[in-house]
């Protein structure tokens, strides 16, 4: 019996299988950047658990795209972009969840929550956060014309969803 084996409940040895190692460069990136990534996520999300979840998701996405990121050559810029998109996505999801709690009292909140995810993201980033179209396109990984399209469709849906009394008061 080896040091890695323990006796199971049936008395037979249980061999512990090693965890597959991460690529060495990925581990180095993680060790070097994870504290800064967590600090950034905490500053944006204002919540330790949400920050940890967002950074965890970001590193899984980075790992999933690792060979392509290495081939592209600008690993730090691309990993930072993945982190930012993940944190912003988490912030928007949290915002949408909090907004959903207000839907009983607010026709606007109810209409916003009913938007498809991309339209919701564009609307919040553009009108509530004041982000320019170029930044929204970068955050969401789409073209500026796609951002404009989602913005127009969201406006149409919101106008249709508003009760007649609100539309008349414009």
């Amino acid at each position: 019996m080896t040091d890695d084996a323990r006796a199971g409940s049936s008395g037979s040895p249980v061999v512990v299988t090693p965890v597959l190692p991460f690529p060495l460069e990925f581990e180095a990136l993680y060790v070097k950047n994870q504290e800064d990534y967590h600090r950034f996520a905490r500053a944006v999300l204002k919540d330790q658990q949400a920050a940890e979840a967002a950074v965890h998701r970001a590193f899984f996405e980075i790992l999933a795209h690792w060979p392509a990121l290495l081939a592209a050559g600008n690993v730090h810029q691309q990993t930072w972009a993945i982190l930012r998109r993940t944190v912003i996505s988490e912030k928007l999801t949290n915002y949408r969840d909090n907004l959903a709690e207000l839907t009983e009292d607010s026709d606007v909140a109810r209409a916003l929550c009913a938007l498809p995810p991309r339209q919701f993201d564009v609307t919040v980033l553009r009108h509530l956060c004041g982000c320019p179209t170029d930044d929204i396109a970068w955050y969401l990984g789409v073209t500026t014309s796609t951002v404009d399209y989602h913005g127009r469709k969201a406006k149409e849906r919101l106008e249709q969803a508003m009760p007649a009394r609100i539309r008349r008061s414009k």
Side-chain angles (χ1 to χ4, degrees), residues 7-149:
S9 59
S10 63
S12 61
V14 175
V15 178
V16 177
T17 57
V19 175
L20 294 176
F22 292 121
L24 186 59
E25 297 90 351
F26 175 81
E27 286 188 33
L29 178 97
Y30 176 82
V31 169
K32 181 181 183 311
N33 295 310
Q34 65 92 13
E35 285 183 34
D36 290 336
Y37 285 13
H38 277 91
R39 259 196 303 276
F40 173 77
R42 276 193 306 273
V44 171
L45 299 172
K46 309 283 192 248
D47 178 84
Q48 179 69 26
Q49 272 187 308
E52 286 182 15
V55 172
H56 189 76
R57 278 191 7 236
F59 273 111
F60 269 119
E61 186 174 338
I62 291 166
L63 182 60
H65 296 94
W66 190 247
L69 292 171
L70 286 178
N74 52 355
V75 174
H76 293 292
Q77 181 183 9
Q78 290 193 31
T79 56
W80 183 255
I82 290 170
L83 172 75
R84 285 186 67 186
R85 280 194 301 268
T86 306
V87 170
I88 289 166
S89 170
E90 185 75 25
K91 182 78 171 174
L92 288 168
T93 300
N94 289 346
Y95 183 78
R96 188 177 197 127
D97 292 345
N98 292 338
L99 190 60
E101 294 174 10
L102 303 173
T103 59
E104 294 174 11
D105 301 328
S106 171
D107 293 326
V108 174
R110 196 171 19 263
L112 271 173
C113 285
L115 289 174
R118 287 285 187 179
Q119 292 176 19
F120 177 84
D121 294 352
V122 167
T123 301
V124 169
L125 288 169
R126 180 177 278 166
H127 298 290
L128 299 178
C129 299
C131 294
T133 301
D134 289 341
D135 289 351
I136 297 169
W138 187 78
Y139 294 150
L140 301 179
V142 298
T143 64
T144 55
S145 60
T146 301
V147 170
D148 291 338
Y149 171 80

Side-chain angles (χ1 to χ4, degrees), residues 148-167:
D148 291 338
Y149 171 80
H150 287 307
R152 281 192 310 276
K153 290 299 178 184
K155 182 180 177 189
E156 290 170 12
R157 283 180 182 244
L158 290 172
E159 286 174 348
Q160 291 171 356
M162 293 287 92
R165 70 183 191 292
I166 292 175
R167 285 192 299 234

